[in-house]
Amino acid sequence: MKDYRLTHYELELMGVIWELEEASVQDVCDALPRELAYTTVMTTLSLLAKKKKVLKRIKRGRAYIYQPAVTREEVSQSMLGQLKQVLLGDSLPTLMVNLLENENMSEDDISALKNAINKLESKE
């Protein structure tokens, strides 16, 4: 699995692009819940495309259009793996307990977790 290390701010921009599926810098600026400078967003999107390789960049007319090069799930798995390794001594049970401990879970959430555990147990 590839190692994705994204900041909170980068994840915020990625979230917009994952939702829109493709977006210009202006589209991202317009969709953000807080106001950010156009040039700041442009610079960060360029970094996410060129250096971190989590976005594709396509020239359309005078503007660049950004598309996700990775899925939200790929980034989530990578970042959760990092948390597990660095903060929790690579302990999966500790990670799961920490994730679930302070959540208000619905019956549907609990059922989905039980189903996931049952699938894991049936593989053994």
Side-chain angles (χ1 to χ4, degrees):
M1 172 176 28
K2 191 147 184 199
D3 189 17
Y4 299 107
R5 294 181 189 264
L6 302 180
T7 66
H8 178 77
Y9 169 63
E10 291 169 337
L11 287 169
E12 188 178 1
L13 299 184
M14 286 298 296
V16 169
I17 294 181
W18 281 319
E19 289 299 315
L20 298 176
E21 296 179 0
E22 69 173 29
S24 67
V25 175
Q26 189 62 56
D27 294 335
V28 174
C29 288
D30 292 343
L32 287 169
R34 61 186 173 121
E35 201 159 314
L36 291 170
Y38 181 93
T39 54
T40 302
V41 174
M42 180 179 65
T43 301
T44 305
L45 291 177
S46 181
L47 169 93
L48 289 170
K50 290 180 181 177
K51 290 194 177 176
K52 297 203 175 181
K53 309 267 189 244
V54 294
L55 290 176
K56 297 178 210 168
R57 189 169 91 158
I58 302 161
K59 182 94 168 167
R60 281 201 197 140
R62 295 177 52 211
Y64 283 108
I65 301 298
Y66 293 89
Q67 298 172 334
V70 296
T71 65
R72 188 184 302 259
E73 290 74 26
E74 289 172 306
V75 173
S76 295
Q77 286 179 354
S78 173
M79 294 185 76
L80 282 172
Q82 291 167 36
L83 279 174
K84 181 179 80 152
Q85 184 179 33
V86 175
L87 291 178
L88 304 167
D90 221 13
S91 170
L92 182 60
T94 304
L95 171 66
M96 296 307 298
V97 168
N98 276 282
L99 286 172
L100 299 174
E101 205 165 59
N102 295 318
E103 290 294 318
N104 292 326
M105 296 179 63
S106 69
E107 289 297 321
D108 288 341
D109 293 336
I110 293 168
S111 179
L113 285 172
K114 285 180 181 177
N115 287 337
I117 290 169
N118 289 336
K119 280 184 185 177
L120 288 171
E121 288 177 336
S122 70
K123 286 183 181 179
E124 294 175 357

